[in-house]
Amino acid sequence: MSNAFIAFQKNDESRCIVEAILEDNPNAMVDDQPSMVKIDVPNRLVIKRETVEEKIGRSFDLQELQLHLITISGHLDETDDEFTLSWNS
Amino acid sequence: MDMKVAKKLGLKERYALMTRDLAWDTTYQKMEDVFPQTTYEGIKIHDWDKWEDPFRLTMDAYWKYQSEKERKLYAILDGFNQNNGHLSVTDARYINVLKLFLGSTPPLELMAARGFSMMGRQMNGAGPRVACQMQAVDEYRHFQTQIHSISNYNKYYNGMDEFAHQQSRMWYLSDGKSFFDDAITAGPFEFMVAIGFAFEYVLTNILFVPFISGAAYNGDMAAMTVGFSAQSDEARHMTLGLECIKFMLEQDPDNLPIVQRWIDKWTWRGTRKLASVGMMMDYMLPKRIMSFKEAWEMYVEENGGALFKDLARYGITIPKCFSQTIEEKEHVSHQSWIGFYMKPQATPFHTWIPTPDEMDWLSEKYPNTFDQYYRPVLEFFDAQEKAGNRFDNKTAPMNCQVCVSTMKFNEPGDPMEMCFRESIYQGEKFHTCSDHCKEIFDNEPEKYVQTFISSHQVLQGNCEPDGVDVNAPDFKPGQDMLGYWKLDKRALGDFNGSEDQKNFAAWREQATKN
Amino acid sequence: MTMLKTLAPYEFKSRDAVENYQGRQLLYVNWERHRMFSRPFVLAMKPETPFSAVLEEMAACFSYHPDWQHIDWDKAIWQNGNTPFTPDRNKSLKDNGIGHKDLIRFRTPGLDGIAGTGY
Ligand SMILES: [Fe+2]
Ligand SMILES: [Fe+2]
Ligand SMILES: [Zn+2]
């Protein structure tokens, strides 16, 4: 099984996004690096709009992820409610 | 009172309306005449509408987010510059990595902008056309912002001002230039595998993630912000490359062998291009977060491996070169640094021998190779330099006909032996650095016989500064390479004793005392 | 067989064809197991040049290496590409069978670089 991953620049908004990811992906592994954070999840990583909104305390458009993203791994599917990275193998 | 407001359109509907629905098939001219490039490579496409950008990014959202990225970026750059940020980097050796980055990277971003502008015209489907146009604008932005962010250093340090002149002339910039020239002169689908897949998916992860995180670790907020800002676009670019590969494989089973050959070729060309990034991470960052080898394992072996495993369902196999790249990750950064160290009069940046602490770090990170092959020669160089006999190899290099790297790699399985391969084409010998470059040459010799090898061009008399009479009876080629390259003499030589070293120390002293 | 595919006729000359070198030819020289020099070096010489001129260029570059002065020239092994040959220093490149873009690989048995590392 391969890991899907995502990395963000460290800032206040991405801190909330990371909290949301940890809540929605129980197998998530956090790798803290200088000025960035990388999160690996076996096979499938999901970011849910609702959870991010809860953490960040305002409405959130998943396309705002574009501002903080550094890199991703996995096939992407983005809808209004979920941003998913997954491997088929 | 509860009131149901008409909900705005969902992402999928918005994307469909604003991309595919704005495109049309031509009627005055045949579609195949308007889009001739997408058929000649042999790739068969039956339904262009099957290609959808998974980010579902529409042009209006694109402008909105990109402008916000730019505002953030320039706010940080201004703050960094107003605060004499250049004096907050770990030590002045660090600035040399920026000089190398400036010469090698922004010009390639510009080539990517050109290439994706072409793709935005050549692709039949509206989905890929829009995504390619966005990527072209992104790449132009990377080209500009990288130069902007480094321009502040140019006010203080030597060797940065002629990077544009040097791009197509300097010996060590040929590998990157050749990578993009090869890609852009291929057809659109091969270009997408070369840049969208190999460059974006494999290379930029190493260049912009661990290396830029390393820049941050060394106190360079300017490079950090510009690097991460660029990389935030790369996530979209990788997705485009990956979608293109899946699209070709899903459209027709006949596409498989063609795509496989391109994956094999471009994974290898990308690997060769990364040798100098390895040296930037292992030798040029005064403070290191991870070795090139560790970055390779994380971003190429694991991440690339995950991708190839995933693509196995279409019949794709792991690129032939993969096992050689795994062997070479222990060697290339050291071999590259030695290659640059020995040419102190031929680069606009300084080189040096790592300190004893730094050598210990290298031993720890490279337990299988560093002490056995590389430490003794580095210690020899160090002793020679201290005795006033600094190494300066004045000869001109032999290069690989395909990747245009200098021929500095070892025979697989034997780190003490050099690797040479040769082919004969139309009675002429052509040398390559590896089995993989040889195979690329043999597949398309008509293309690679044209390779521009700078040391050969010098010997043909094509590399002279303005004003030299090449027809004079006593003309000898290559007598004024510094003039031809426009190399600033202050930027040459060992870091020890350089003007940058002295200035940085003096300015830092001023910044901390009255 | 070529795999090249193009939209139009595609014919370009080799950029390094021998006629581009004004009567000279390219020659590469490598000292095996002395990788301190990173890669072979390249020369452009007339085919009539005596091989001794190559030896002079080798000395100019390679003598920086402490092994250089220990070479037993009678034991040196020479290859042109992968083919062994014995150069005659007084004969020309041509008479030594050296052509355009040949690679001379020079081996010095017993000398394996700094501390035997191959460097
Ligand atoms: Fe870019
Ligand atoms: Fe890109
Ligand atoms: Zn090569």
Side-chain angles (χ1 to χ4, degrees), chain B residues 216-363:
Chain B
Y217 198 44
N218 281 278
D220 186 358
M221 228 165 40
M224 179 214 69
T225 185
V226 85
F228 283 160
S229 186
Q231 190 66 21
S232 71
D233 300 339
E234 307 304 1
R236 200 156 17 78
H237 302 173
M238 291 170 199
T239 305
L240 179 59
L242 183 50
E243 285 304 305
C244 182
I245 287 187
K246 280 197 297 186
F247 178 66
M248 287 187 278
L249 295 171
E250 278 169 7
Q251 282 290 309
D252 200 297
D254 289 353
N255 295 339
L256 174 65
I258 306 177
V259 174
Q260 179 76 55
R261 179 166 69 85
W262 288 337
I263 288 180
D264 288 354
K265 169 180 173 182
W266 289 99
T267 303
W268 182 247
R269 290 223 59 181
T271 300
R272 277 288 176 259
K273 174 71 200 87
L274 272 186
S276 56
V277 181
M279 141 191 130
M280 288 155 84
M281 291 180 69
D282 285 342
Y283 284 84
M284 299 182 85
L285 293 180
K287 265 167 74 178
R288 298 120 204 241
I289 42 163
M290 64 166 75
S291 65
F292 173 68
K293 179 182 160 210
E294 289 164 325
W296 188 268
E297 286 162 356
M298 181 179 292
Y299 290 105
V300 181
E301 284 174 38
E302 282 171 32
N303 187 33
L307 174 65
F308 294 125
K309 230 164 58 188
D310 186 274
L311 294 177
R313 71 199 140 111
Y314 299 110
I316 289 288
T317 53
I318 289 186
K320 273 184 263 183
C321 65
F322 219 57
S323 60
Q324 187 170 344
T325 71
I326 290 170
E327 184 184 323
E328 286 193 356
K329 74 186 174 194
E330 308 246 17
H331 295 281
V332 285
S333 64
H334 317 296
Q335 295 176 358
S336 290
W337 187 242
I338 291 169
F340 280 95
Y341 178 83
M342 67 162 199
K343 295 298 290 177
Q345 301 301 312
T347 61
F349 56 87
H350 303 295
T351 48
W352 56 86
I353 292 299
T355 63
D357 282 7
E358 289 166 345
M359 293 231 213
D360 291 345
W361 182 87
L362 288 165
S363 301

Side-chain angles (χ1 to χ4, degrees), chain B residues 109 135 139 142 200 204 234 237:
Chain B
E109 301 280 10
Q135 178 157 353
E139 303 296 5
H142 302 168
E200 302 288 354
T204 65
E234 307 304 1
H237 302 173

Side-chain angles (χ1 to χ4, degrees), chain C residues 68-81:
Chain C
W68 181 257
Q69 57 183 351
H70 300 299
I71 294 175
D72 179 346
W73 288 89
D74 294 333
K75 284 201 193 138
I77 297 171
W78 299 83
Q79 285 169 254
N80 183 344

